Amino acid sequence: MAQYTIKELEHLSGIKAHTIRIWEQRYGILNPRRTETNIRYYDDADLKSLLNISLLNERGYKISKIAQMEKGEILETVRQLCDQPCECAHHVSELVAAMVDMDEYKFDRVLSKSAVQMGFQETMQEVVYPFLNKIGILWQTGNITPAHEHFVSNLIRQKLLVAIDGQTARWKEGDPVYILYLPEGELHELALLYMHYILRAHHQRVVYMGQHLPFKDLELTYEQFRAEYLCTVLTTTPEREQVQGYLNKLSERFPDSTIYVYGYQVQHEALSFPENVQRLSCMTELIAKLK
């Protein structure tokens, strides 16, 4: 069972730590435990309870009223609220709770419901990416295991693959080519798959090379297609101190291509981007360029 500090609950629920303490003292909504060294901590049940309380509070329910509700009543009220369309924050909270329980049925139901209500692209932007940001906090604090990460990644990956498979290719001969790939050693594919979906949705010609592509194979693919665009995501690879050299290498080897780079490893200010290399801070930037 995971253990959370009050600051971690704040990040995950959106409720300030000061407010959580007041709610505990006045209404007894949570009952934190203490370690042998007398440090307060919370567990998975506390997190899920606070997510539900946060959801009701955002919708206008006073905390004094929530505190009087039975647990089953809270759950039923939350369920009714989450059945309403386009409640993005609610969907994100539901996904966090489903991940903690590793509940595949609930996780799939939330994503499917959101896609029907909002469309797939909006679901990715407004639900999946905020959710991934939240589990990034859990990962950094050691409150989820690699099993949790694989669980959610594979379910989201399945949704992306189905969505891409359902698209009709509408490019024609002579259209610019986008090569999408992850560098050798990089396995985090979700962002690249979403990039694939966006490009296909805008009727672009995509050559998808996927994970762990050796540089020589990237060169061979480029020689065959003479691609106008290269797109990659650097999440863990290369190492931070090697990123600048890798960007320079891409620029020098493919001087006639525009190179889009995205991911954690390129989101820091110390990097200098060659003229033909462009950093994407978020996927909406790519959508704006295509428009």
Side-chain angles (χ1 to χ4, degrees):
M1 183 176 291
Q3 295 184 5
Y4 308 92
T5 67
I6 196 165
K7 290 301 292 183
E8 289 164 1
L9 285 191
E10 176 183 303
H11 288 308
L12 291 164
S13 68
I15 299 173
K16 296 293 185 183
H18 175 68
T19 302
I20 295 173
R21 289 193 186 96
I22 292 174
W23 287 0
E24 285 178 8
Q25 294 166 4
R26 290 185 183 174
Y27 306 106
I29 62 166
L30 296 178
N31 184 27
R33 289 73 167 160
R34 291 185 181 271
T35 65
E36 293 179 357
T37 54
N38 206 34
I39 298 173
R40 292 152 54 97
Y41 72 90
Y42 303 81
D43 61 18
D44 289 339
D46 293 323
L47 171 61
K48 289 183 286 185
S49 177
L50 190 61
L51 287 171
N52 287 333
I53 291 169
S54 171
L55 193 149
L56 294 180
N57 190 240
E58 287 173 1
R59 293 302 301 271
Y61 285 76
K62 293 184 181 298
I63 186 62
S64 56
K65 177 177 175 58
I66 299 171
Q68 296 172 1
M69 297 168 69
E70 297 292 335
K71 182 179 179 181
E73 186 182 357
I74 291 176
L75 293 175
E76 177 59 22
T77 307
V78 167
R79 187 194 65 76
Q80 292 174 4
L81 289 175
C82 290
D83 283 339
Q84 298 175 11
C86 300
E87 295 294 343
C88 301
H90 301 174
H91 292 324
V92 173
S93 293
E94 282 190 293
L95 289 180
V96 172
M99 181 204 64
V100 169
D101 289 340
M102 296 186 78
D103 186 336
E104 180 175 350
Y105 172 77
K106 181 177 180 180
F107 197 94
D108 181 74
R109 180 173 59 83
V110 173
L111 284 182
S112 297
K113 179 171 61 178
S114 177
V116 169
Q117 293 174 350
M118 304 167 60
F120 185 77
Q121 184 169 305
E122 195 74 9
T123 293
M124 288 296 300
Q125 293 293 145
E126 302 298 331
V127 177
V128 173
Y129 269 91
F131 164 71
L132 292 175
N133 287 335
K134 283 184 180 288
I135 68 169
I137 297 169
L138 289 171
W139 178 259
Q140 291 166 14
T141 56
N143 283 311
I144 61 172
T145 66
H148 287 97
E149 184 189 22
H150 285 289
F151 171 75
V152 298
S153 295
N154 284 323
L155 291 176
I156 295 170
R157 184 175 184 273
Q158 289 171 22
K159 293 290 185 186
L160 281 163
L161 289 173
V162 169
I164 292 167
D165 188 58
Q167 293 172 310
T168 302
R170 297 182 182 178
W171 59 268
K172 55 186 180 296
E173 201 64 38
D175 282 352
V177 174
Y178 290 76
I179 294 177
L180 272 61
Y181 79 99
L182 297 180
E184 193 166 10
E186 182 63 78
L187 300 175
H188 292 77
E189 193 181 14
L190 292 184
L192 194 74
L193 282 169
Y194 183 44
M195 199 177 285
H196 188 184
Y197 174 84
I198 291 170
L199 290 167
R200 288 281 296 269
H202 288 80
H203 316 309
Q204 304 300 316
R205 184 181 181 185
V206 178
V207 178
Y208 191 83
M209 301 303 292
Q211 304 165 306
H212 191 56
L213 185 72
F215 199 87
K216 60 181 176 52
D217 292 327
L218 175 62
E219 292 176 313
L220 290 172
T221 307
Y222 174 81
E223 291 299 331
Q224 180 174 343
F225 291 97
R226 287 289 165 179
E228 288 86 347
Y229 298 93
L230 303 180
C231 303
T232 191
V233 181
L234 310 182
T235 303
T236 59
T237 303
E239 297 287 343
R240 179 60 64 94
E241 62 272 12
Q242 298 171 342
V243 171
Q244 185 66 66
Y246 186 76
L247 298 179
N248 295 341
K249 183 178 180 180
L250 286 174
S251 175
E252 293 165 6
R253 179 60 187 86
F254 310 109
D256 298 324
S257 296
T258 297
I259 302 165
Y260 292 132
V261 293
Y262 178 70
Y264 176 76
Q265 295 289 55
V266 296
Q267 307 301 329
H268 60 96
E269 299 307 317
L271 292 173
S272 174
F273 291 87
E275 186 175 355
N276 64 327
V277 178
Q278 298 184 28
R279 172 174 57 191
L280 299 174
S281 298
C282 59
M283 285 297 179
T284 52
E285 290 184 8
L286 177 61
I287 295 169
K289 291 176 185 296
L290 293 169
K291 289 181 177 179

